[in-house]
Amino acid sequence: MAVVLSHLRFLLTQRDLFPAGVSGGRVLCLGVQDVHATHGELERTLRAAGIEPVRIPVEQRSYTESQIVPRSRQCAHIRDLFRMLGYDQIETLDFSAAEHPDRIHDLNEPFPSSWQLEETYDLVFDVGVVEHVCDIYQALKNCISLVKPG
């Protein structure tokens, strides 16, 4: 899956369900999702939704680079999307190391206790990972355990 502008626009209409335009905060993205938009397109979309994006200097930008989205398209990386939304700690988790996630883990299994991640994230973001997990109960239990109360 990927984040496309139509998904982002819909998500931004649901801002009462998640913190957007926050100052600080920690997010975990399930999968290293492709973003199908440039930094400029994301900035315009956020502004249209009433959110002033955090500006990322050109030299600090990171870009999606996958089998589907070539680096030459200059699409923003999922980390940059959440930086622009105001989060300052963005991590990715995936089953495979192929797209260089911060954490590698099979959501069919409980998280290792050594990770000590319970109630650490303000947001756990998924646009197409959990549906590929065989043990949905365990995957959702994992995700719920990560989110801070409230």
Side-chain angles (χ1 to χ4, degrees):
M1 288 297 290
V3 178
V4 296
L5 288 176
S6 60
H7 294 155
L8 180 59
R9 285 184 195 103
F10 173 76
L11 184 64
L12 294 173
T13 67
Q14 307 301 308
R15 284 203 312 255
D16 57 328
L17 301 177
F18 80 101
V22 298
S23 179
R26 188 172 182 185
V27 63
L28 177 70
C29 300
L30 301 184
V32 183
Q33 301 294 333
D34 288 339
V35 174
H36 289 262
T38 65
H39 290 81
E41 290 168 329
L42 292 175
E43 286 177 6
R44 287 187 293 279
T45 301
L46 294 176
R47 282 192 184 104
I51 297 172
E52 184 57 35
V54 172
R55 187 109 169 93
I56 302 172
V58 173
E59 65 276 3
Q60 292 178 15
R61 292 178 179 179
S62 53
Y63 299 90
T64 291
E65 186 170 357
S66 71
Q67 295 174 348
I68 297 170
V69 179
R71 170 72 168 78
S72 60
R73 283 195 49 208
Q74 299 262 316
C75 290
H77 194 280
I78 190 74
R79 286 183 186 94
D80 282 8
L81 168 58
F82 282 98
R83 281 181 63 195
M84 292 169 80
L85 281 166
Y87 290 90
D88 58 9
Q89 296 178 51
I90 302 103
E91 296 176 51
T92 55
L93 179 141
D94 208 327
F95 174 76
S96 162
E99 293 187 357
H100 313 290
D102 299 300
R103 296 182 182 274
I104 300 171
H105 183 72
D106 180 351
L107 287 172
N108 289 296
E109 304 294 330
F111 290 122
S113 58
S114 61
W115 282 9
Q116 299 179 339
L117 292 177
E118 290 78 21
E119 301 180 353
T120 9
Y121 295 96
D122 298 291
L123 176 68
V124 175
F125 180 77
D126 175 32
V127 292
V129 171
V130 171
E131 73 223 34
H132 297 284
V133 175
C134 294
D135 190 345
I136 299 281
Y137 175 81
Q138 183 62 55
L140 293 176
K141 185 176 175 184
N142 286 342
C143 292
I144 290 167
S145 75
L146 299 174
V147 181
K148 292 177 183 177

